[in-house]
Amino acid sequence: MTVFDPDAAASKDSGLFGLSTRYADAKIVVAPVPFAATVSYGGGAERGPDAILAASHQVDLYDWHFGRIYEAGIHLMAPDPAVVAAHAPARDAVLANQAGAEQSVAAGHVRAVDAAGALVNESLREMVEPLLDEDRVVGVLGGDHSIPFGAIAAAAERRPLGILHVDAHADLRVAYEGYAWSHASIMHNVLQRCPAVSRIVQLGVRDYSEGELRAIHGADGRVISHFDADWQ
């Protein structure tokens, strides 16, 4: 990597955390996924990668546990243009359905949103697979909760995998609001489609449906949920 002064202010045109590490020199690679079509409340999570890049310039990089972690090299990849282009029409379709689109039109919107979700999954998978094969440390930066699926699937194909899921929600809903790749369905999809994920351990869950609670109890120990109320 180029000479880096950890005590200096980051320049505005530098990379993540003020680094300018080339892809080839980075042990840690972050994949941005600016997609958040199915969010249920508010919006704007698709702008997360850009916002975090900007905010990261104010973060010091010396780590209590690992010391000069920046010496390993940290590189933020460019987002897939196809994913960038897919967000707005998919989000518009979700908003139209929330506003009460006519039934046949709404069904078309659901198909379009599901297709966009599948595109995101495949894009991230194609981005992450060579990184894992090169034994890099991979980070995924969203976007809404649906977006890690491609990375999880890629990692689980290479070795047995457990997931630590820190969230207020269980995200075990089946095709929430009709969308197969909903932000509220990520852990359901992992359970159903990634058999090599042996366990999901959830921390801080405090808002869940009865159906999700049934899914937790019916997972034969594959889902361990530590509810917020119990920790309190």
Side-chain angles (χ1 to χ4, degrees):
M1 63 181 291
T2 58
V3 176
F4 174 69
D5 181 356
D7 294 322
S11 63
K12 292 182 178 179
D13 59 350
S14 58
L16 194 65
F17 301 116
L19 297 168
S20 298
T21 311
R22 298 182 305 162
Y23 172 85
D25 298 331
K27 175 65 175 179
I28 302 166
V29 179
V30 180
V33 187
F35 185 87
T38 67
V39 291
S40 304
Y41 180 76
E46 72 281 0
R47 298 192 293 273
D50 285 342
I52 289 175
L53 170 60
S56 74
H57 293 165
Q58 302 300 318
V59 177
D60 286 312
L61 276 180
Y62 190 83
D63 184 84
W64 179 263
H65 298 286
F66 299 105
R68 296 171 178 162
I69 191 68
Y70 55 85
E71 291 182 344
I74 304 171
H75 178 81
L76 176 65
M77 300 179 74
D80 182 349
V83 170
V84 175
H87 167 76
R91 182 60 180 159
D92 288 345
V94 170
L95 292 174
N97 279 2
Q98 290 176 350
E102 191 271 329
Q103 187 172 359
S104 61
V105 174
H109 287 162
V110 169
R111 289 192 294 271
V113 173
D114 283 348
L119 180 151
V120 169
N121 294 341
E122 188 58 29
S123 169
L124 182 58
R125 187 181 191 124
E126 290 178 357
M127 194 178 289
V128 164
E129 283 182 333
L131 300 174
L132 296 175
D133 291 341
E134 294 165 359
D135 197 31
R136 309 225 201 186
V137 177
V138 180
V140 177
L141 185 57
D144 69 30
H145 293 185
S146 70
I147 60 98
F149 181 83
I152 293 170
E157 284 189 353
R158 284 157 174 76
R159 61 183 64 86
L161 189 68
I163 294 175
L164 177 62
H165 178 210
V166 182
D167 200 335
H169 306 100
D171 289 348
L172 287 165
R173 295 176 184 267
V174 180
Y176 186 57
E177 295 184 313
Y179 306 113
W181 300 109
S182 166
H183 71 100
S185 303
I186 175 66
M187 292 305 158
H188 166 78
N189 287 327
V190 168
L191 286 177
Q192 296 299 313
R193 302 169 192 258
C194 300
V197 173
S198 59
R199 180 161 294 172
I200 298 171
V201 177
Q202 301 182 317
L203 296 178
V205 175
R206 65 175 183 269
D207 184 13
Y208 50 90
S209 70
E210 291 185 45
E212 288 177 301
L213 190 60
R214 288 194 295 271
I216 291 167
H217 291 161
D220 295 326
R222 201 167 163 218
V223 179
I224 305 296
S225 296
H226 298 279
F227 295 99
D228 183 71
D230 293 332
W231 280 49
Q232 296 265 0

